[in-house]
Amino acid sequence: MGWFKRSAKPEAVASTETDQSDLGTLLLQGEDMIEQLALAHASWGLGSADRWGLDQRSGVVTWTFPDRTATAQAQILASYNPSAQSWLWAWANQSILTEMSRDARVVRDWAAAHGHAGPAEAQIAADDEKAATLSIPIITFGPVTLTDQDGATSTFGIDIN
């Protein structure tokens, strides 16, 4: 199951004045980790919900299935606009509440501290391939609470440490 498209040259997101191979390696490692997480989350139904929604005020993402719902605290990392071919980090998007862009600010601060100007820019020109490399994932979330129709709950979490 391929959840994410891998760019042939992920280091293209880094500034040409920095060590692009380090950022490229980091992006590839991140893609591999996200692929593993996505496969693990598929066991409760990630990717097969009838619908999903994100409430910015509560910070909760909800997936709805015929027989259950799944919820988790979430963060928005960025958005991609294919018609404008642009990628906008959540911290720079005025339509995203500040509390929902905390993880995006962490990425920005890390990139700036490590000399990677590209990921620290508010908006990046991006075609579909570049956006696929950058957008892993657009929304992050923590442990998932599964609630059956009868009200029974269970929690699905993954320790990535």
Side-chain angles (χ1 to χ4, degrees):
M1 171 187 323
W3 286 70
F4 307 106
K5 296 185 291 183
R6 189 172 278 186
S7 171
K9 296 181 181 180
E11 60 273 0
V13 299
S15 168
T16 56
E17 298 174 9
T18 62
D19 186 358
Q20 293 182 7
S21 64
D22 287 346
L23 184 58
T25 299
L26 183 64
L27 285 171
L28 287 174
Q29 290 170 343
E31 287 178 4
D32 288 341
M33 184 176 84
I34 295 303
E35 182 73 25
Q36 291 173 21
L37 289 170
L39 289 171
H41 281 288
S43 69
W44 60 261
L46 180 66
S48 65
D50 291 341
R51 66 183 181 277
W52 70 275
L54 176 63
D55 181 339
Q56 281 199 64
R57 287 192 170 76
S58 67
V60 174
V61 60
T62 302
W63 297 270
T64 305
F65 302 87
D67 61 341
R68 69 189 182 287
T69 59
T71 59
Q73 288 293 312
Q75 285 282 298
I76 301 172
L77 291 182
S79 57
Y80 172 59
N81 182 340
S83 62
Q85 292 206 330
S86 67
W87 165 270
L88 182 63
W89 286 102
W91 53 264
N93 188 333
Q94 294 181 358
S95 68
I96 296 175
L97 298 177
T98 303
E99 307 83 50
M100 292 299 297
S101 64
R102 181 183 60 247
D103 288 355
R105 289 190 309 275
V106 169
V107 172
R108 175 198 61 199
D109 295 348
W110 178 90
H114 289 84
H116 300 293
E121 294 177 17
Q123 186 169 343
I124 301 168
D127 58 14
D128 289 341
E129 183 177 320
K130 189 172 188 178
T133 298
L134 291 169
S135 64
I136 301 174
I138 292 176
I139 297 173
T140 61
F141 56 90
V144 177
T145 300
L146 302 164
T147 306
D148 293 333
Q149 285 179 333
D150 65 5
T153 62
S154 61
T155 302
F156 183 91
I158 300 173
D159 183 8
I160 60 171
N161 293 324

